[in-house]
Amino acid sequence: MTKTWPITLSQLLESLPRAPGDNGRELVRKAYAFAAAAHEGQRRASRELFVEHDLAVAHIVSQLQVDAPTVAAALLHDVLLPHTQLDEAAVRKAFGAEVGSLVAALAKLAPYSEGLSTASREQTTEAVRRALLTIIEGDARVILIRLADRLQDLRKAGDLPREERESLALEAREIQAPLANRLGIWQLKWELEDMSFRWLEPEQYRKIASYVAERREERDRWIQRAIQALKRRLNEAGIQSELTGRPKHMYSIYRKMQEKGLNFEQIYDLRALRVIIESDDPSLCYQALGIVHQLWTPEAKAFDDYIAKPKGNGYRSLHTAVLDEQGQYLEVQIRTRAMHS
Ligand code: MN
């Protein structure tokens, strides 16, 4: 996910999917003008202008390939706050029933789920999760905008008082990240997790982030060489594929350290690769797996077949881990294009 700040209107318009004869740009432009006028110079607790926050939230949802009314609703998500003195009817009048009801539904969600204390966390989590799931049955777009809203709050949470920041982060970890996971919105899930990790365990986060940054160049060069070697083998076998180096997320590194009892020295070299098979035939994934295991030495205990046994959220992929000639550890995920999207 791009982290450019602040987002401009033209960047947002640029990120919209293009369709011939569609007036999505006009709608989004109009929503921006409406939000800018409604908030007129008002700043949030984290000190940014409301309209800057709105543009950023809209940009997050836009990158998830949603339709223009959803992007417009994201721009308008906080336009019914008391300081604007607007009501649902005003939004409906300007934008019609579809955008109007999305904005009204967003306004009905409490700004923060109060009383999310550690003591009653489990209960609270379950209660809020149930509430969110009920909303999904109505319109999933509401929850999508809500998740983007929360992510943007977390990105700017460094400017909030510590208590507020930690409560946001806790809620993201307990509710929004699992929800994004269940909905299969990976980009949001990863960043929600990384951001909540960053604010809840700042020291651990900083350590991991600096290790990852230090070794980035060397690791990227190594990954490029690995991609070339594997790509050649797959081409020879007639398997059309796209190979990418997969960024490791801070929180997943941290969790791996916890789960496997590893220290930084053992973990900071983690490298990961993703193979997307262009054909829809799952058997090619297994063929590609065989090629990976011929090229490098498989780690016996590190294989998972989520194609034969998909995860609860529908995730399907093969996961393996191998060692190269120099004993460098590499995680490889293999799936078809259809499984990926
Ligand atoms: Mn907001």
Side-chain angles (χ1 to χ4, degrees):
M1 214 118 283
T2 348
K3 277 181 205 140
T4 341
W5 175 265
I7 298 291
T8 62
L9 176 61
S10 51
Q11 271 174 297
L12 176 63
L13 293 170
E14 205 47 49
S15 71
L16 293 170
R18 290 166 193 280
D22 114 282
N23 56 3
R25 281 182 166 60
E26 213 172 294
L27 178 67
V28 169
R29 220 185 279 271
K30 186 177 160 193
Y32 171 77
F34 191 95
H39 296 298
E40 213 199 321
Q42 294 278 348
R43 286 179 190 275
R44 292 160 42 86
S46 51
R47 295 202 300 270
E48 82 259 48
L49 288 167
F50 266 90
V51 74
E52 289 176 330
H53 165 79
D54 298 340
L55 275 170
V57 172
H59 192 244
I60 295 171
V61 298
S62 171
Q63 287 176 297
L64 300 170
Q65 306 295 311
V66 297
D67 58 6
T70 312
V71 177
L75 278 168
L76 298 166
H77 76 272
D78 49 15
V79 89
L80 296 181
L81 285 173
H83 72 255
T84 69
Q85 294 176 321
L86 290 169
D87 59 9
E88 189 184 336
V91 180
R92 277 179 188 273
K93 194 173 164 220
F95 295 95
E98 184 185 9
V99 173
S101 60
L102 282 173
V103 174
L106 284 158
K108 278 182 201 116
L109 300 168
Y112 294 96
S113 77
E114 283 114 26
L116 192 78
S117 66
T118 11
S120 63
R121 209 169 73 197
E122 262 179 41
Q123 278 175 308
T124 317
T125 301
E126 199 36 50
V128 181
R129 188 172 294 163
R130 258 201 315 273
L132 293 178
L133 288 171
T134 316
I135 296 160
I136 292 171
E137 285 161 17
D139 193 331
R141 294 179 296 175
V142 172
I143 222 61
L144 199 64
I145 295 167
R146 178 62 159 183
L147 292 175
D149 188 22
R150 272 323 164 79
L151 177 54
Q152 184 56 30
D153 286 341
L154 282 168
R155 285 177 179 177
K156 301 299 284 180
D159 297 326
L160 291 173
R162 189 176 151 195
E163 222 171 88
E164 210 173 316
R165 174 169 70 232
E166 287 181 353
S167 141
L168 269 178
L170 191 60
E171 193 183 312
R173 192 181 71 190
E174 301 298 322
I175 297 155
Q176 283 101 24
L179 193 61
N181 180 48
R182 201 166 318 172
L183 296 171
I185 314 165
W186 313 119
Q187 300 98 307
L188 293 190
K189 170 197 136 82
W190 288 122
E191 202 183 338
L192 284 164
E193 281 183 352
D194 273 5
M195 283 287 143
S196 68
F197 174 45
R198 177 176 179 181
W199 301 128
L200 291 173
E201 315 240 19
E203 200 136 311
Q204 297 284 351
Y205 179 89
R206 262 195 301 275
K207 264 195 207 168
I208 293 177
S210 71
Y211 269 119
V212 168
E214 263 172 39
R215 311 278 301 231
R216 178 158 287 145
E217 254 183 60
E218 184 196 331
R219 195 176 45 238
D220 286 352
R221 270 201 306 276
W222 186 91
I223 289 274
Q224 286 315 314
R225 281 200 304 274
I227 286 179
Q228 280 169 18
L230 180 56
K231 182 81 183 165
R232 197 175 326 119
R233 301 290 184 99
L234 290 169
N235 284 345
E236 283 165 12
I239 300 175
Q240 297 290 319
S241 63
E242 184 195 339
L243 275 63
T244 47
R246 183 166 58 91
K248 292 292 293 183
H249 299 277
M250 307 298 156
Y251 187 61
S252 71
I253 293 175
Y254 177 65
R255 251 198 338 226
K256 190 151 278 186
M257 285 171 62
Q258 302 280 21
E259 277 167 20
K260 308 206 166 168
L262 300 172
N263 60 34
F264 281 112
E265 284 66 36
Q266 293 165 298
I267 206 93
Y268 65 66
D269 267 329
L270 265 189
R271 295 139 199 254
L273 197 65
R274 179 176 288 150
V275 181
I276 306 293
I277 306 284
E278 298 295 356
S279 153
D280 282 346
D281 179 1
S283 74
L284 291 180
C285 294
Y286 295 96
Q287 207 181 320
L289 178 73
I291 290 169
V292 169
H293 285 175
Q294 275 167 18
L295 187 56
W296 298 301
T297 313
E299 283 268 87
K301 284 180 199 154
F303 174 69
D304 286 300
D305 186 344
Y306 297 117
I307 293 179
K309 288 176 105 176
K311 286 191 184 181
N313 57 24
Y315 176 85
R316 289 186 299 158
S317 188
L318 299 177
H319 288 190
T320 188
V322 294
L323 297 173
D324 80 348
E325 312 73 50
Q326 287 116 47
Q328 296 275 20
Y329 183 84
L330 173 69
E331 292 181 0
V332 186
Q333 297 183 345
I334 305 169
R335 51 184 175 266
T336 66
R337 175 79 55 201
M339 293 172 192
H340 184 59
S341 50

Short mmCIF file of all heavy atoms in Angstrom, two decimals, residues 45 174 184 188 261 318:
data_model
loop_
_atom_site.label_atom_id
_atom_site.label_comp_id
_atom_site.label_asym_id
_atom_site.label_seq_id
_atom_site.Cartn_x
_atom_site.Cartn_y
_atom_site.Cartn_z
N ALA A 45 -8.08 15.49 15.88
CA ALA A 45 -7.25 15.43 17.10
C ALA A 45 -5.78 15.24 16.74
O ALA A 45 -4.89 15.73 17.43
CB ALA A 45 -7.73 14.28 17.98
N GLU A 174 -7.31 -6.56 17.60
CA GLU A 174 -8.33 -7.51 18.06
C GLU A 174 -9.52 -7.61 17.10
O GLU A 174 -10.18 -8.64 17.06
CB GLU A 174 -8.84 -7.11 19.44
CG GLU A 174 -7.77 -7.03 20.51
CD GLU A 174 -7.10 -8.38 20.75
OE1 GLU A 174 -7.79 -9.40 20.71
OE2 GLU A 174 -5.86 -8.40 20.95
N GLY A 184 -10.61 -11.39 3.48
CA GLY A 184 -9.61 -11.61 2.44
C GLY A 184 -9.03 -10.34 1.84
O GLY A 184 -8.57 -10.34 0.70
N LEU A 188 -4.97 -4.57 3.59
CA LEU A 188 -5.42 -3.90 4.81
C LEU A 188 -5.03 -4.71 6.04
O LEU A 188 -4.59 -4.17 7.04
CB LEU A 188 -6.94 -3.68 4.79
CG LEU A 188 -7.47 -2.69 3.75
CD1 LEU A 188 -8.94 -2.38 4.02
CD2 LEU A 188 -6.67 -1.39 3.73
N GLY A 261 10.60 -19.40 18.56
CA GLY A 261 11.66 -19.11 19.52
C GLY A 261 12.96 -18.68 18.86
O GLY A 261 14.05 -19.07 19.29
N LEU A 318 0.24 -22.99 -1.99
CA LEU A 318 1.24 -23.90 -1.43
C LEU A 318 2.31 -23.05 -0.76
O LEU A 318 2.72 -22.03 -1.31
CB LEU A 318 1.89 -24.73 -2.55
CG LEU A 318 0.99 -25.65 -3.37
CD1 LEU A 318 1.81 -26.33 -4.47
CD2 LEU A 318 0.33 -26.69 -2.48
#
